[in-house]
Amino acid sequence: MIGRSKDWLLAIGGGALLALMINYNSLLAKHTTPMFASWVAHGLGAVAALALVVLYSRVFRSADKAGDARREKIPLWFYLGGIPGTFTVILAAVTVNSSLSLSGTIALMLLGQVLFGIVSDHFGLFRTPKRRTVPADILGALCVLTGSALIIFGRA
Amino acid sequence: MIAYILLAFLNGTVIGTSRAINGRLGAEVGSFKASLWNHLIGFLFLTPALLLMGGWKFDVLPEAPLSAYIGGFFGALFVAVNSYIFPRLGAMNAVLLVISGQMITAVLIDYRNQGVPPTAIRCLGVIIVLLGVYLTRVSSASRAKDKSP
């Protein structure tokens, strides 16, 4: 349990990937529209993900088969995570163009994500494992949110 | 104004929902396949939305620089990474660490794009974010110790 440095580093690296994704997708959105850019990015992302699936199954064939055997029990909604993801584009387009602007939108989105995380862990939403929130967790969340707010609003 | 605040906040919960479902699927079929489904379903879902709104911009695509097209690749990798760590770290730790990596990288990207070093306030922000990451690590380690016999 404690020796999970790999998960920690992967999660932080995931955040770096997300920042890069937003950087380049915004470039595309500037030349087209946010929605069309999201459509193109999802299409290209699907191709990239397919390449990763093929590559991964070539390298780790046995691990892949274990997943295949269990597939029939999976409810349909497990496959639909991409749908709420697309609403992000539409909602952000609305709020970025309001008086909240980009910085206010990002700050409130981060707050929404963290509070969702606490509620999700508490109730085990979407059949994810339940996890107790301890005071140190809240303190850590406050630090990440405060630091993020300074980064968002502290631009020159 | 309140409506916009609620919408932006709701957007955060929408993101969390998407990542939770992808994490759940990833636990069943593997992270890379979860990423594939996420992008495929998202693509199929956006297609009728664009058809209804008439938002096709194919004519201006060649004007965009080549780098504008690599976002999808980073997105595919991101969803795979997130689907892997989500069930392992829990929703809250996963989101806190992803936000931390995202914010710190954003400061570096801005530095590179604008050529101006980050302000003192932003540097302080990075330090406080890192303190938050440290606290998350400490709380998880102590919780793991509580559980072990």
Side-chain angles (χ1 to χ4, degrees):
Chain A
M1 285 293 275
I2 306 170
R4 277 186 169 178
S5 300
K6 194 185 80 177
D7 293 344
W8 246 255
L9 291 173
L10 262 178
I12 292 172
L17 287 169
L18 192 56
L20 285 166
M21 180 195 87
I22 293 169
N23 181 50
Y24 291 113
N25 284 350
S26 305
L27 198 59
L28 190 58
K30 210 161 69 179
H31 283 83
T32 59
T33 62
M35 193 113 140
F36 184 72
S38 179
W39 182 76
V40 172
H42 273 86
L44 292 174
V47 174
L50 180 65
L52 289 170
V53 167
V54 172
L55 205 72
Y56 180 77
S57 66
R58 289 263 166 97
V59 181
F60 302 100
R61 195 159 286 179
S62 57
D64 199 45
K65 270 182 187 153
D68 283 346
R70 281 156 58 186
R71 182 161 309 164
E72 43 210 289
K73 284 181 282 180
I74 302 173
L76 178 71
W77 62 267
F78 276 29
Y79 291 95
L80 303 182
I83 293 179
T86 62
F87 277 108
T88 297
V89 184
I90 301 154
L91 286 171
V94 173
T95 53
V96 165
N97 292 310
S98 76
S99 49
L100 288 178
S101 77
L102 182 64
S103 37
T105 297
I106 294 173
L108 284 163
M109 279 167 69
L110 296 187
L111 182 66
Q113 286 182 61
V114 170
L115 291 182
F116 173 86
I118 295 172
V119 172
S120 177
D121 279 344
H122 186 78
F123 294 105
L125 294 185
F126 304 105
R127 293 199 212 163
T128 51
K130 278 190 193 180
R131 231 171 263 256
R132 190 169 47 94
T133 301
V134 296
D137 285 333
I138 304 289
L139 203 61
L142 281 176
C143 280
V144 171
L145 284 174
T146 307
S148 299
L150 290 178
I151 291 170
I152 293 165
F153 296 107
R155 315 178 63 137
Chain B
M1 184 62 184
I2 297 230
Y4 290 123
I5 290 174
L6 287 175
L7 273 183
F9 179 78
L10 174 73
N11 202 352
T13 67
V14 162
I15 292 170
T17 304
S18 178
R19 293 191 192 160
I21 299 175
N22 284 329
R24 197 66 197 78
L25 178 64
E28 300 288 338
V29 301
S31 313
F32 291 120
K33 279 185 182 166
S35 180
L36 175 58
W37 278 105
N38 172 77
H39 286 87
L40 205 60
I41 294 290
F43 182 76
L44 292 176
F45 184 76
L46 281 169
T47 304
L50 277 168
L51 279 172
L52 280 172
M53 294 168 53
W56 306 105
K57 299 281 177 194
F58 286 111
D59 48 327
V60 286
L61 278 184
E63 290 169 22
L66 211 58
S67 60
Y69 296 96
I70 60 173
F73 173 72
F74 288 114
L77 269 180
F78 166 71
V79 176
V81 166
N82 195 76
S83 303
Y84 177 76
I85 54 134
F86 194 97
R88 295 168 70 89
L89 294 174
M92 169 134 145
N93 279 347
V95 75
L96 284 181
L97 292 165
V98 167
I99 289 173
S100 301
Q102 188 185 350
M103 296 315 294
I104 293 166
T105 311
V107 171
L108 295 174
I109 291 175
D110 279 350
Y111 183 20
R112 184 182 167 275
N113 285 353
Q114 296 160 0
V116 184
T119 60
I121 295 177
R122 293 194 111 189
C123 292
L124 179 67
V126 169
I127 292 169
I128 296 177
V129 165
L130 288 173
L131 179 69
V133 171
Y134 175 73
L135 283 172
T136 310
R137 189 87 173 95
V138 168
S139 85
S140 277
S142 69
R143 186 167 20 192
K145 216 159 69 182
D146 287 346
K147 272 185 193 164
S148 60

